[in-house]
Amino acid sequence: RLFKKSIIARNSSGHITLSCTSNEDLWHLYNLVAPTSDGAATVRTSTDRKVVRTGATGSVTSNRVRLSLSVAVETSEFDGRGNCVRIRGRVSVENDHVRMGSYHTLDVGLDQRVTLSRDRWDAVHLDLIESACNPDAGADVVAILLSSVTGSSGRGCANIASVTAHLTTVRAAVEVSIPKRRPGRPDGAGKAVEKFYKGVYDSMMRTVFGPDSEADKIKVILIASPGFTRDEYWEYLLAESVRRGDREVIKAKSKFVRARSSSHHVHSLEEVFGDADLAARLDNTKYARENNALQKFLRMLDTDPLRAHFGYRAVRQAADASAIQTLMLTDSLFRSFEAAERRKYVALVEDVRRGGNGEVLVLSTMHGSGKMLEQVSGVASILRFPMEEEFEEEEEEVQEDVVDEEEEAPKHPKQTRLEYDMEALGL
């Protein structure tokens, strides 16, 4: 939630005041406060501080005081499980209780008012603020990932995860032991499977349709599993929602989509989102668009490599030629401490957008797609037309090396290079 935004257009300096209402907002805050070598962000918020006082007689007393502090950020840490961002730095504004320059750690949680100041807010910062304040932002997809419950003995496992534009968060996990089906005891496994389905249903009601959830913002609810477990659970869900009279589930019946996955683990979402049969239903979600673009890039590396470039130099050359159709970058590139490193990627984004036809996708490293892109340098592009990468700089370096070797060679006209090398070896 944005309370105030005051940024001077002339030099892009200024401050914003906001509060985080979700884990997604905390992730945005973590990216906004990332320090760089040319200046740190300053964060002002309320915090607790232990204050020690020494009396006139030499007695020492200490107590905790609630006060507002301004801290110049040196390090920051995102804690998804604890729902907070930890910010450490030096106190930058004089305070009655804390001397300026002393270290303090701020724990910024949900619904806590925060003021951020920077000497320069670049285009990526401003896009991040706009994305965070989008009222339509929320959990695009909820995935119910189930393990197979058929076959021999084992466990019934499930993960319920919310997939937003920047985070994949496991909201609940269910695990039930399922005994082996025996000829003389046919009901043992059946009761265990029903207990497993009931646990998944109860967890879904708490996390997806609970009083604190935003079920109206959810676009798709995926039920994915190997085998036919997803179909069996779907039938159980329909019958149980009618039996309990859960109107929210019945009303959202059109949002449920069944899909095949290799396991109940969260990483199997990559294959689910890449399923061509689900593309139409998931195409309006940011995560699906990013995942599809990355999968297209990986396929083109094999089928049409001259249109799939990765690495900063190759992508920069393509941008200079106005050849980029889709530019993909990881958000970790914009958290670089080196200001020059960050600025070159910001300039790359601005140049591609300035062309008018290039699409820019910033992939979160909290998603599997972002982690995969990070393995290929963190920046990649799909081009409109084939283009070969130029290697002029490397060729110049090779030529310089050859010149250096020639300078080291003997200048005596009658001594050949072979004779010189043999003499150096003592032969």
Side-chain angles (χ1 to χ4, degrees):
R1 182 183 176 186
L2 185 66
F3 294 102
K4 185 179 180 181
K5 179 181 175 183
S6 178
I7 298 176
I8 302 171
R10 179 170 50 85
N11 58 5
S12 300
S13 65
H15 65 273
I16 61 171
T17 302
L18 51 82
S19 67
C20 302
T21 59
S22 66
N23 241 13
E24 183 95 348
D25 291 342
L26 290 172
W27 177 253
H28 289 313
L29 177 65
Y30 169 65
N31 284 278
L32 286 172
V33 302
T36 57
S37 58
D38 65 345
T42 301
V43 178
R44 183 174 182 82
T45 189
S46 59
T47 183
D48 290 326
R49 176 84 178 195
K50 183 180 179 181
V51 178
V52 179
R53 292 185 177 90
T54 304
T57 60
S59 60
V60 178
T61 60
S62 65
N63 61 322
R64 299 199 72 83
V65 178
R66 190 75 176 173
L67 69 165
S68 291
L69 284 182
S70 295
V71 171
V73 182
E74 291 189 5
T75 60
S76 59
E77 176 189 353
F78 173 72
D79 184 359
R81 293 184 180 274
N83 290 335
C84 74
V85 176
R86 294 186 182 89
I87 300 168
R88 185 174 186 270
R90 293 181 181 271
V91 176
S92 59
V93 177
E94 191 70 32
N95 191 282
D96 294 337
H97 302 283
V98 183
R99 70 178 186 276
M100 192 167 68
S102 60
Y103 276 100
H104 186 78
T105 300
L106 300 172
D107 284 347
V108 180
L110 297 176
D111 301 317
Q112 183 173 342
R113 196 158 176 153
V114 183
T115 298
L116 307 181
S117 302
R118 274 190 176 277
D119 293 334
R120 183 177 182 273
W121 295 88
D122 57 40
V124 175
H125 284 139
L126 298 177
D127 286 346
L128 203 55
I129 295 169
E130 184 179 352
S131 173
C133 298
N134 182 3
D136 296 328
D140 285 344
V141 177
V142 169
I144 303 173
L145 301 166
L146 308 166
S147 65
S148 176
V149 296
T150 59
S152 59
S153 63
R155 297 172 300 166
C157 300
N159 283 312
I160 300 178
S162 61
V163 183
T164 62
H166 301 88
L167 293 176
T168 300
T169 307
V170 177
R171 305 285 298 279
V174 180
E175 185 174 334
V176 174
S177 296
I178 299 177
K180 185 177 180 180
R181 299 178 186 272
R182 301 180 184 276
R185 299 167 59 189
D187 296 336
K191 289 180 179 179
V193 170
E194 186 175 353
K195 180 182 177 182
F196 171 60
Y197 288 159
K198 181 180 182 299
V200 176
Y201 187 92
D202 291 341
S203 298
M204 179 190 73
M205 292 303 299
R206 287 194 305 271
T207 58
V208 182
F209 297 100
D212 297 331
S213 63
E214 297 178 325
D216 55 327
K217 291 186 177 181
I218 297 172
K219 299 173 182 176
V220 177
I221 303 175
L222 281 172
I223 303 176
S225 75
F228 299 100
T229 306
R230 59 186 178 276
D231 299 320
E232 294 177 3
Y233 176 71
W234 172 242
E235 293 175 3
Y236 175 89
L237 182 148
L238 292 176
E240 190 70 5
S241 62
V242 172
R243 188 183 71 82
R244 298 189 188 186
D246 292 330
R247 295 180 178 273
E248 299 89 349
V249 180
I250 298 172
K251 184 180 176 181
K253 190 167 66 172
S254 60
K255 295 182 179 181
F256 284 90
V257 177
R258 285 168 286 170
R260 186 193 177 283
S261 67
S262 58
S263 73
H264 66 284
H265 297 293
V266 175
H267 64 74
S268 63
L269 280 172
E270 304 302 320
E271 61 191 72
V272 174
F273 278 89
D275 190 344
D277 296 334
L278 297 177
R281 288 295 303 271
L282 301 175
D283 190 51
N284 61 340
T285 64
K286 182 177 183 292
Y287 177 58
R289 291 196 301 273
E290 294 173 350
N291 188 67
N292 291 339
L294 182 61
Q295 295 301 324
K296 180 180 178 181
F297 166 78
L298 295 175
R299 288 194 300 270
M300 290 180 72
L301 280 177
D302 291 331
T303 60
D304 195 359
L306 294 182
R307 288 185 58 209
H309 286 200
F310 64 92
Y312 175 76
R313 186 176 63 179
V315 174
R316 180 73 259 183
Q317 290 175 2
D320 292 340
S322 300
I324 294 181
Q325 178 180 332
T326 304
L327 173 66
M328 292 168 283
L329 310 97
T330 60
D331 56 5
S332 60
L333 295 174
F334 303 104
R335 293 196 298 271
S336 173
F337 179 75
E338 295 299 328
E341 185 78 4
R342 177 188 168 87
R343 279 198 294 267
K344 75 179 186 180
Y345 287 107
V346 172
L348 179 62
V349 169
E350 291 176 340
D351 290 346
V352 172
R353 285 176 175 167
R354 195 177 294 119
N357 298 321
E359 180 185 16
V360 177
L361 299 175
V362 180
L363 278 63
S364 171
T365 50
M366 297 296 283
H367 283 321
S369 55
K371 293 175 183 176
M372 194 180 302
L373 179 59
E374 208 168 26
Q375 295 176 1
V376 287
S377 77
V379 55
S381 63
I382 298 173
L383 309 188
R384 297 190 184 92
F385 50 83
M387 178 179 171
E388 291 189 3
E389 183 181 354
E390 299 176 3
F391 298 96
E392 294 179 0
E393 295 180 6
E394 288 187 1
E395 290 176 359
E396 290 176 1
E397 291 175 2
V398 171
Q399 290 176 359
E400 290 176 1
D401 293 342
V402 171
V403 171
D404 291 341
E405 289 178 0
E406 290 176 353
E407 290 176 354
E408 292 174 2
K411 296 182 180 180
H412 198 284
K414 295 182 179 179
Q415 189 178 32
T416 65
R417 183 58 187 256
L418 177 60
E419 291 172 342
Y420 175 80
D421 291 340
M422 292 177 68
E423 182 180 335
L425 294 170
L427 300 175

